[in-house]
Amino acid sequence: MSKQSNPEQLLQSILQNVQVGGDLTTGDINQILNLLVVFPNTFKTVGVPHNVPYSATVKFVGRTEVLKSLQQLLQQNKRIAIAAIEGMGGVGKTELATQYSLLHLLLQTYPGGICWLLARDEDVGIQIVRFAEVKLGWKVPENWDLAKQVDFCWSSWPEGDVLVVLDDVNDYSQVEPYLPPQLSKFKVLMTTRLKLDSTVTPLTLDVFNETEALELLSNWVGAEKVSKELVIAKDISQRLGYLPLALNLMGRYINKRKLFLPVALRRLEEKGLRHASLDVNKDDRTWTFNVQRGVVGAFELSWEELSDNAKQLGYLLSLFALAPIPWEIIKSVDIGQNVEELEDSRVELENLHLIESNEIYSTMHQLIRDFFQDKLTIFPEAEQLKKTFASVIAKISKKVPDTYSITANFIYTFAPIIPHIKEVSYYLSTYLADKELILPFKALGFIYENQLLYSQAEKLYKYGLNICQQRFKTDHELVATNLNNLAYIYKIQGRYSEAEVIYMQTLEMRKKLLGEMHSPVAQSLNNLASVYRKQKRYVEAETFILQALSIRQSLLGKNHIYVAMSLNHLGKLYYEQERYSEAESFYIEVLNICESLSRKNHPFKARNFDDLALLYKAQHRYSEAESLYLKSINIKKCLMGNEHITVAQSFNNLSLIYYLQGQYNKAEYLCLEAISIYEKKLYSTHPDMVECCENLENIRSAMISINPA
């Protein structure tokens, strides 16, 4: 390309050719990649929703043909294109997928968006829903299970081709249920170490050949040096197994130390180590390749370049999940370094390509994380570091409010921390102090409950229960708390018999541990009463609610939110038995408590308004019911947004109040508002949707009867 060439015009000509069906050649790709190196700030991508990760690669080496082949694979399939980049760790699978995504983001090949999903350590379904909410601005139905939420996302996706990238698939059966439908607009690209079955079109990504390896090495140490010491450069490449990650690390090492290549080779030969993650059996399903000795030698050489502080940061980073690591959490773990020292340590790790960072997050390659973890096993203070780290995550977990108080904004803000709480829950819980043990499980469970991901919450609570039982051996309050959380998951799904058994077990355990007069005992009584009420076992329910209320009033006084909750349960119980005057008195008492506690915008207060309004409707006190529904709607909008499912429920309830009073225009308007929200969040046969549509039909029939055409 001459100096006079206009990079924007050149890109535009390539773009126009591709858009009319022309082939994207290796020459085109090379030109674009060169333009990006020479004019990095010239090209901006706008209008395409994506979450493609950051790439620090200055010059992409040795994969131009693969990029072309990948494009052909993804476009040739007339149904769904699943091209799996298979290969061993460190060959650059993720980097290739990243460069392909960035290239075609620039070319606007996928106007429908590029959705990047981490397939190894995070739930793919949850990530798809998160992309739809954050990047597409949707409100995904909250009361559906995860599979239906994902189906909703795929079926509602905007027009235009879409690229879905599943990075680091280690269990295809876990991601297969979430793949998009068999529509030609969806192109699926996976990176994996696995050999997948014949239903997936593979693109095997091998290590570099010798020419490519030398080119990459030349980028770091200079073409002249490689040319003068070509035999030695070839030996270094061979010793590194032509592995791109190892070549990058070694190249940086040589460049930084300004070494002659024979010296670098001798040091590499002296290390002679192989990483365990690359030493695998060819007969298993993990992709294998006969890697040359010396791959981990490159890691060792880089490790030796680090200061003690940087090594200590490496130990800490190895404890996090394999996901973006928020720097705010890193800074909150006391490893004896101030903020500036931590920044210096981070720069050291970045300079040797051991991590990639920006202002907010740091990320690691799987092999580097494994390497750091291996080093941690010989770190004298490893046990204390794990305890410190686990304790910090437990404190962060404590910030998660109860299920009903979690807002959409909280989930969005807290999402980057969730993988690391999960890591501690499943792999580092033994390092939590007794009082901290339940906190990560409780936090994750509340988040899953709020998102209606009950199966995930159940699995988590069962695991946490097992951990608590192993540690405490006998009855313990934390065991009881875990049992209580598990029972709630059963109750909310209508599995009342299972919930009752566990709630009863929890009650007996708490009585034994704490005595009769204690708040957790009252909680268990209240929960059991709720299960009995759901089963219309009203006598038993009333007995348990009254016991819970008595305990709470004795311990907490009459003006407490927990007392209000028991009174509200009692009001519901009497309402369902048509004991309206008794129910009303309790609902009013609940409202007075809420007002006295200044809980202006609290979900429980909105529920109280709804319950009392329903009672007034049954008594034909429509104007009072109307006022309460309007107050409930204002609270829900403030907390959950204008299009939350509970707002739609209040719209529908209020429309019935207007319908019963003959105010059909108001009733029709609110019913249509409710249906508009339901259509975005519910499937057409959902009971709430069906009920709302039937209400609209009744309203319109009434309108016709009084004003026939």
Side-chain angles (χ1 to χ4, degrees):
M1 182 183 71
S2 67
K3 293 182 180 179
Q4 290 74 30
S5 299
N6 185 322
E8 292 180 343
Q9 289 179 352
L10 179 56
L11 177 64
Q12 190 61 31
S13 67
I14 296 172
L15 177 59
Q16 289 174 349
N17 176 57
V18 173
Q19 287 178 335
V20 298
D23 291 331
L24 182 65
T25 66
T26 55
D28 292 334
I29 295 172
N30 275 322
Q31 283 185 315
I32 294 171
L33 294 176
N34 287 332
L35 286 172
L36 292 175
V37 172
V38 179
F39 306 98
N41 299 316
T42 299
F43 309 115
K44 304 294 181 185
T45 57
V46 294
V48 177
H50 75 91
N51 60 339
V52 181
Y54 164 79
S55 173
T57 300
V58 177
K59 185 177 180 182
F60 193 53
V61 172
R63 302 297 195 194
T64 305
E65 282 288 343
V66 181
L67 284 172
K68 178 185 174 183
S69 299
L70 185 55
Q71 173 67 2
Q72 291 171 344
L73 273 176
L74 287 170
Q75 299 305 315
Q76 72 184 7
N77 195 317
K78 294 183 179 179
R79 299 185 74 196
I80 187 170
I82 304 179
I85 305 175
E86 297 181 343
M88 53 176 278
V91 295
K93 301 183 297 298
T94 297
E95 184 62 30
L96 176 65
T98 302
Q99 292 297 328
Y100 175 86
S101 300
L102 292 172
L103 173 66
H104 289 278
L105 186 63
L106 188 65
L107 290 172
Q108 300 177 33
T109 309
Y110 301 101
I114 301 178
C115 178
W116 189 285
L117 307 168
L118 302 172
R120 173 175 287 270
D121 285 335
E122 289 193 63
D123 192 305
V124 167
I126 295 174
Q127 292 178 73
I128 293 166
V129 173
R130 190 185 307 155
F131 183 94
E133 291 177 336
V134 174
K135 298 297 181 179
L136 302 178
W138 296 346
K139 294 291 185 181
V140 179
E142 296 176 349
N143 60 335
W144 292 1
D145 63 32
L146 184 59
K148 288 180 180 177
Q149 287 182 327
V150 172
D151 287 343
F152 170 87
C153 294
W154 295 138
S155 62
S156 306
W157 210 277
E159 290 300 314
D161 283 356
V162 181
L163 177 64
V164 180
V165 182
L166 293 119
D167 186 34
D168 199 11
V169 175
N170 66 333
D171 187 347
Y172 183 65
S173 66
Q174 292 296 312
V175 302
E176 186 177 21
Y178 298 116
L179 294 179
Q182 301 284 340
L183 298 176
S184 60
K185 75 174 184 178
F186 290 109
K187 315 296 181 183
V188 181
L189 171 61
M190 292 185 289
T191 70
T192 180
R193 297 184 187 188
L194 304 178
K195 286 185 176 180
L196 301 176
D197 59 39
S198 59
T199 61
V200 178
T201 305
L203 177 66
T204 301
L205 188 62
D206 208 338
V207 293
F208 279 165
N209 60 37
E210 185 177 82
T211 301
E212 293 164 343
L214 292 173
E215 182 183 0
L216 179 55
L217 201 57
S218 296
N219 284 341
W220 288 112
V221 306
E224 183 177 354
K225 180 178 285 189
V226 169
S227 178
K228 285 183 177 179
E229 300 177 330
L230 185 59
V231 173
I232 302 298
K234 288 182 177 180
D235 285 344
I236 290 174
S237 299
Q238 183 181 24
R239 293 290 299 178
L240 295 173
Y242 306 110
L243 191 67
L245 178 60
L247 286 160
N248 269 312
L249 289 170
M250 189 65 186
R252 284 179 180 241
Y253 173 80
I254 294 171
N255 178 275
K256 183 178 180 181
R257 299 298 294 263
K258 297 179 175 55
L259 296 177
F260 292 110
L261 294 189
V263 175
L265 176 61
R266 185 177 68 251
R267 294 184 182 181
L268 185 59
E269 288 175 335
E270 287 172 354
K271 297 296 177 182
L273 300 175
R274 289 177 56 174
H275 198 280
S277 67
L278 299 178
D279 188 16
V280 294
N281 190 325
K282 290 185 178 182
D283 295 329
D284 66 23
R285 283 180 55 81
T286 304
W287 179 266
T288 60
F289 192 84
N290 187 21
V291 181
Q292 302 294 326
R293 285 175 58 115
V295 172
V296 178
F299 299 158
E300 286 286 356
L301 291 172
S302 296
W303 180 258
E304 290 182 357
E305 281 293 297
L306 298 175
S307 66
D308 288 342
N309 276 356
K311 289 178 179 179
Q312 193 173 42
L313 178 56
Y315 298 139
L316 172 60
L317 293 175
S318 75
L319 298 176
F320 286 88
L322 195 64
I325 305 170
W327 258 98
E328 287 304 311
I329 300 182
I330 295 172
K331 290 189 293 185
S332 67
V333 182
D334 183 10
I335 56 173
Q337 299 182 38
N338 61 36
V339 174
E340 289 187 3
E341 289 171 332
L342 271 177
E343 289 171 353
D344 290 340
S345 298
R346 180 182 67 184
V347 169
E348 282 191 61
L349 295 172
E350 290 172 352
N351 286 342
L352 291 174
H353 205 52
L354 293 169
I355 64 171
E356 300 290 347
S357 296
N358 56 32
E359 295 84 357
I360 303 175
Y361 300 109
S362 286
T363 56
M364 287 183 294
H365 188 282
Q366 171 72 59
L367 287 178
I368 298 298
R369 179 175 179 257
D370 292 347
F371 180 77
F372 284 168
Q373 287 180 339
D374 187 59
K375 287 295 181 184
L376 183 63
T377 62
I378 57 174
F379 178 49
E381 300 173 28
E383 295 299 293
Q384 183 57 48
L385 179 61
K386 291 176 182 178
K387 289 178 182 178
T388 302
F389 171 71
S391 182
V392 166
I393 296 299
K395 288 184 176 70
I396 294 172
S397 301
K398 201 172 183 178
K399 296 178 181 179
V400 177
D402 63 75
T403 302
Y404 293 111
S405 301
I406 295 174
T407 64
N409 184 61
F410 177 85
I411 291 291
Y412 174 74
T413 304
F414 205 74
I417 306 170
I418 292 174
H420 309 297
I421 297 178
K422 188 176 179 181
E423 184 76 12
V424 170
S425 298
Y426 284 105
Y427 303 109
L428 294 171
S429 60
T430 55
Y431 294 96
L432 291 165
D434 286 355
K435 63 181 181 180
E436 301 169 333
L437 184 58
I438 199 174
L439 294 176
F441 298 101
K442 186 177 177 182
L444 286 176
F446 284 176
I447 289 170
Y448 289 149
E449 286 172 20
N450 178 267
Q451 297 178 296
L452 309 182
L453 303 173
Y454 298 132
S455 61
Q456 286 91 330
E458 179 182 349
K459 176 183 176 183
L460 182 82
Y461 286 144
K462 284 182 175 178
Y463 187 83
L465 176 62
N466 184 55
I467 293 294
C468 288
Q469 289 173 330
Q470 286 182 8
R471 175 173 295 194
F472 300 116
K473 305 300 181 184
T474 59
D475 292 345
H476 192 278
E477 174 54 25
L478 291 185
V479 175
T481 302
N482 244 308
L483 285 168
N484 186 75
N485 292 338
L486 180 60
Y488 176 78
I489 292 299
Y490 292 148
K491 186 191 80 170
I492 204 70
Q493 297 177 86
R495 298 160 63 179
Y496 300 129
S497 297
E498 295 169 273
E500 179 184 354
V501 170
I502 297 179
Y503 275 144
M504 188 61 75
Q505 182 182 354
T506 306
L507 175 62
E508 295 305 317
M509 188 179 298
R510 284 173 166 173
K511 284 182 176 180
K512 176 182 175 182
L513 292 168
L514 305 170
E516 298 280 344
M517 297 295 292
H518 207 284
S519 287
V521 174
Q523 181 193 48
S524 292
L525 289 167
N526 218 59
N527 291 337
L528 268 169
S530 178
V531 171
Y532 292 147
R533 181 175 61 80
K534 292 286 187 181
Q535 297 173 298
K536 302 189 185 303
R537 295 160 62 180
Y538 295 130
V539 174
E540 294 164 283
E542 183 175 14
T543 300
F544 279 83
I545 292 176
L546 290 173
Q547 288 181 37
L549 178 61
S550 176
I551 293 171
R552 284 176 167 174
Q553 287 178 330
S554 297
L555 294 173
L556 306 171
K558 293 189 176 182
N559 269 7
H560 195 280
I561 192 64
Y562 287 163
V563 172
M565 289 178 177
S566 287
L567 290 169
N568 195 68
H569 273 301
L570 204 52
K572 286 183 178 181
L573 177 67
Y574 292 150
Y575 165 76
E576 290 180 11
Q577 298 176 81
E578 299 184 3
R579 296 161 63 179
Y580 295 143
S581 61
E582 295 169 278
E584 181 180 5
S585 66
F586 287 118
Y587 284 149
I588 294 296
E589 192 173 349
V590 170
L591 182 58
N592 290 335
I593 293 174
C594 289
E595 294 291 351
S596 69
L597 295 174
S598 299
R599 292 179 177 269
K600 182 179 179 181
N601 288 324
H602 191 280
F604 180 69
K605 190 173 182 180
R607 282 194 294 157
N608 176 243
F609 284 145
D610 287 337
D611 292 336
L612 187 54
L614 192 62
L615 173 65
Y616 287 156
K617 175 192 165 191
Q619 296 176 303
H620 308 292
R621 297 161 63 179
Y622 299 132
S623 61
E624 293 168 279
E626 175 189 355
S627 175
L628 291 169
Y629 278 134
L630 289 171
K631 291 178 181 179
S632 174
I633 288 169
N634 286 335
I635 292 176
K636 290 174 180 178
K637 282 184 175 181
C638 180
L639 291 175
M640 303 297 182
N642 292 339
E643 294 192 335
H644 195 269
I645 194 73
T646 58
V647 175
Q649 290 165 350
S650 290
F651 280 158
N652 185 50
N653 291 334
L654 183 54
S655 76
L656 288 174
I657 297 297
Y658 290 137
Y659 167 72
L660 292 170
Q661 297 179 90
Q663 300 181 50
Y664 300 130
N665 288 331
K666 285 185 177 180
E668 181 187 35
Y669 172 77
L670 284 173
C671 207
L672 288 171
E673 288 289 295
I675 289 173
S676 175
I677 297 173
Y678 283 149
E679 285 177 339
K680 298 172 185 176
K681 298 176 175 292
L682 303 178
Y683 51 92
S684 59
T685 58
H686 189 279
D688 286 355
M689 173 67 89
V690 172
E691 179 188 353
C692 200
C693 290
E694 289 175 352
N695 291 341
L696 181 61
E697 185 177 341
N698 292 335
I699 292 167
R700 287 178 170 171
S701 295
M703 294 172 75
I704 292 171
S705 68
I706 64 170
N707 187 25

